[in-house]
Amino acid sequence: MNKTVVSTEAELQAMMRSCIREELQHLIGQLTPPPDNPEYLTRKEVSKLLSVSLVTLNSWEKKKVLVPHRIGTRVLYLASEVEQTLKQS
């Protein structure tokens, strides 16, 4: 273990910043970035894509088969989740 003598408060602060910066960069490197721009589909687009009615989409939402995301007043589905649900069934 290295021992370092710090003579001023400024040196201590600089060393602490450096250590914290290195640790944060290490932790950030371990994270997987979220998708940049996830593609959302409207209820009509999903019903047309899956050839089902809007009533069926409501039923699937209640059964947690396909869970929509509410953004403001809009009900949207992530395209990746719709695709994943299709693959599972």
Side-chain angles (χ1 to χ4, degrees), residues 23-87:
E23 188 63 26
L24 285 173
Q25 287 175 345
H26 173 72
L27 291 173
I28 289 171
Q30 293 177 348
L31 298 175
T32 55
D36 290 335
N37 293 319
E39 182 183 356
Y40 287 99
L41 302 171
T42 63
R43 288 173 35 81
K44 287 183 181 180
E45 290 171 332
V46 172
S47 69
K48 186 176 180 180
L49 177 69
L50 302 177
S51 301
V52 297
S53 69
L54 294 175
V55 175
T56 301
L57 284 180
N58 285 339
S59 173
W60 287 356
E61 179 181 352
K62 289 178 185 176
K63 295 177 183 177
K64 306 275 190 229
V65 173
L66 195 58
V67 181
H69 298 267
R70 301 193 190 290
I71 300 174
T73 59
R74 301 186 70 192
V75 178
L76 300 171
Y77 295 87
L78 272 173
S80 58
E81 290 177 358
V82 173
E83 183 178 323
Q84 184 180 13
T85 302
L86 281 174
K87 288 179 182 178

